[in-house]
Amino acid sequence: AAMLAALVARGGEAITIVAGGRVRADTVAALLWQTGVREVHARVIREPAPADAMMRERWRRDVAALMTAAKSASSQNGDSPQG
């Protein structure tokens, strides 16, 4: 997180730093807050088959958490969220 925060500070408005790699629904809010990154790359695994209700519900929660964190970070920065 410290390296990303340093890159964000150094890049300022001229360079967009995008966080990626192991960005998860349960860590994205802290990542945004700790580093100041304004964009993340997160892989959303394909929606599970309808027969797997438990995995499907987890997938929905993870996607919702990522979107909520992105919207929250965007509103704090005065940006409109992408996606």
Side-chain angles (χ1 to χ4, degrees):
M3 175 64 80
L4 279 175
L7 290 170
V8 169
R10 186 170 183 186
E13 293 295 318
I15 298 174
T16 300
I17 304 299
V18 179
R22 301 186 194 261
V23 175
R24 302 286 183 262
D26 58 341
T27 62
V28 69
L31 175 71
L32 295 170
W33 182 78
Q34 292 173 0
T35 64
V37 295
R38 296 171 48 178
E39 296 185 24
V40 297
H41 176 270
R43 183 178 126 196
V44 177
I45 298 171
R46 180 174 47 103
E47 187 171 1
D52 192 347
M54 193 164 111
M55 285 299 295
R56 194 173 181 85
E57 183 56 32
R58 180 176 176 202
W59 181 87
R60 286 183 178 147
R61 280 194 319 264
D62 286 352
V63 170
L66 284 167
M67 293 302 296
T68 299
K71 288 177 184 177
S72 175
S74 293
S75 67
Q76 289 174 7
N77 291 327
D79 298 333
S80 63
Q82 306 267 334

